[in-house]
Amino acid sequence: MIKKKLFALFVIMSFLSSFIIPSASAETAFQPEKFPYSEMQIQVMPEFDYPENWPKDTPSLLIGQYGTFTNKSGQDFDGKIEIEVPANQNGFQAYLVAEFPEDNKPEVQRPFDVDKDKGVITWKPSKPIKKDETYRFVVEYYTSTVEVKDNRSFTFEYSNQAEIGTFDVIFYAPMDAKDITLEPKAPNNTKSEYGEELFYYQYKDVKKGESYKYSFSYQKDGFKSTLEAINEKQPPNDENHETVNGTATDQLAGGTSGSGGSGGDRPLIGIGGAVVIGIAIIIAGVFVYLGLKGKSQSAPKASGSKGVTNQPKKQQVKKESKSNSVDDKKELRKKLLTGKIDQETYDEEMKKLI
């Protein structure tokens, strides 16, 4: 009799455990409000580049989101991170998810999933995020939400899921774009030596749930990407720079000031040793974070780095005899151009290929 009771108790406990275990697992679910950001930067890049097999005569819109948050959940986190993305927008393509396991090192790509029903992109960090530890990441995706009529236009909206210490939003106008309008008007803008315009906003102490909406319009002939256009222009006179080089940071630091900004007030994208870029009012000493560290170069950024296999298509550069070496050089220049690696890393890797 006792054995039957013990057996029955065992069956009941086993049955109950099937409910208890999922509950325990649910405790590791990602709760955005418990992972506040010290820094967040979003880069909005219409017609900056095109992914493979993109529809012909359709402008692309590349969005890069760079974040550094701290685990304030009170315990180590070993679950999946969830970041909201416009998964149901026209042409949505999740392009890249990567993390920065070490300071001043390139990002490392992570496998990811897109949940269109929830509108999130998810991935699991390579190791648990310890209590009060910071975590740095980049998410990039494309949409085809640029409307083509008399002009080309789109809207971009962002609603933060957690508090943000420093929040930067940067818009890159396509190369050769005209009649550019941006609402609300950007307090700062500049031009790179290649002529593309950048517009940027900075916000401090952003509360959870605050929303930001921007409307951008411009006129442009053809569908040539900014990277193609820049590559066709005269590169700097440097044996290591047969094509364009530089970073978005350097465009803000070294470009010609446009309306709304001046040399002394122009923000530089920096914060040495951190991961997401915070625009600081500094005149010199630019240390760009997340691979955007630069030294008086100029060009836009799209993120990624050595070790990241899911890269955008390569720029069209002049032919050289040794194809493998040439492709490696092209990729390095593209990464420097787009801010995926810093100048020091670029020079070191180029020496290995020369």
Side-chain angles (χ1 to χ4, degrees), residues 106-354:
E107 65 266 40
V108 177
Q109 186 179 14
R110 298 298 303 161
F112 59 85
D113 295 300
V114 176
D115 187 327
K116 288 194 173 183
D117 292 332
K118 294 178 65 176
V120 297
I121 189 167
T122 64
W123 74 94
K124 188 168 184 178
S126 57
K127 61 182 180 180
I129 305 172
K130 296 185 180 299
K131 174 184 175 182
D132 296 325
E133 184 178 66
T134 59
Y135 179 79
R136 304 170 294 175
F137 70 89
V138 52
V139 170
E140 291 185 351
Y141 59 86
Y142 289 91
T143 72
S144 58
T145 52
V146 179
E147 295 186 3
V148 181
K149 294 181 179 179
D150 293 336
N151 59 10
R152 302 181 187 185
S153 63
F154 65 91
T155 59
F156 174 74
E157 297 183 61
Y158 178 76
S159 179
N160 57 305
Q161 300 172 279
E163 293 182 352
I164 304 175
T166 300
F167 178 42
D168 301 320
V169 181
I170 302 177
F171 283 79
Y172 293 76
M175 183 67 78
D176 300 324
K178 300 177 293 184
D179 299 329
I180 300 166
T181 61
L182 178 57
E183 294 294 338
K185 185 177 179 180
N188 301 284
N189 74 295
T190 188
K191 284 188 178 181
S192 78
E193 64 181 277
Y194 294 97
E196 76 268 49
E197 292 194 67
L198 292 85
F199 305 83
Y200 42 98
Y201 307 77
Q202 183 177 84
Y203 310 92
K204 294 287 189 179
D205 300 323
V206 177
K207 302 301 180 184
K208 174 189 173 184
E210 292 187 9
S211 296
Y212 299 85
K213 183 176 181 179
Y214 308 88
S215 298
F216 192 97
S217 68
Y218 59 95
Q219 291 189 349
K220 179 175 175 289
D221 296 327
F223 296 90
K224 182 182 295 182
S225 73
T226 292
L227 288 186
E228 288 181 276
I230 290 178
N231 190 61
E232 292 174 357
K233 293 181 179 289
Q234 180 64 37
N237 185 19
D238 185 319
E239 64 179 3
N240 284 339
H241 299 76
E242 296 175 18
T243 65
V244 245
N245 58 15
T247 68
T249 298
D250 299 317
Q251 291 186 70
L252 299 182
T256 303
S257 176
S259 63
S262 63
D265 295 332
R266 184 182 303 124
L268 307 187
I269 304 178
I271 299 180
V275 142
V276 176
I277 306 161
I279 296 179
I281 309 294
I282 307 172
I283 294 178
V286 180
F287 293 93
V288 181
Y289 165 84
L290 279 193
L292 290 183
K293 181 172 63 178
K295 297 179 181 178
S296 299
Q297 313 297 328
S298 64
K301 139 153 212 351
S303 171
S305 78
K306 181 180 179 182
V308 179
T309 58
N310 192 15
Q311 297 290 344
K313 62 181 174 43
K314 298 172 183 174
Q315 302 179 53
Q316 297 300 314
V317 295
K318 63 182 182 180
K319 296 180 180 179
E320 297 180 47
S321 56
K322 297 182 180 179
S323 61
N324 290 339
S325 176
V326 172
D327 286 345
D328 289 340
K329 290 179 181 178
K330 289 179 183 178
E331 191 66 17
L332 279 174
R333 292 174 188 130
K334 166 96 177 273
K335 292 173 184 176
L336 179 62
L337 162 68
T338 57
K340 300 168 186 174
I341 58 175
D342 58 32
Q343 183 67 40
E344 182 178 354
T345 301
Y346 173 83
D347 291 339
E348 290 177 358
E349 294 300 320
M350 280 295 292
K351 289 177 183 178
K352 298 176 184 179
L353 299 175
I354 296 175

Side-chain angles (χ1 to χ4, degrees), residues 64-84:
Q65 183 172 330
Y66 310 83
T68 300
F69 62 64
T70 303
N71 178 5
K72 293 295 184 179
S73 67
Q75 59 186 356
D76 294 354
F77 178 75
D78 193 23
K80 288 188 175 182
I81 295 171
E82 290 189 356
I83 299 297
E84 289 186 350

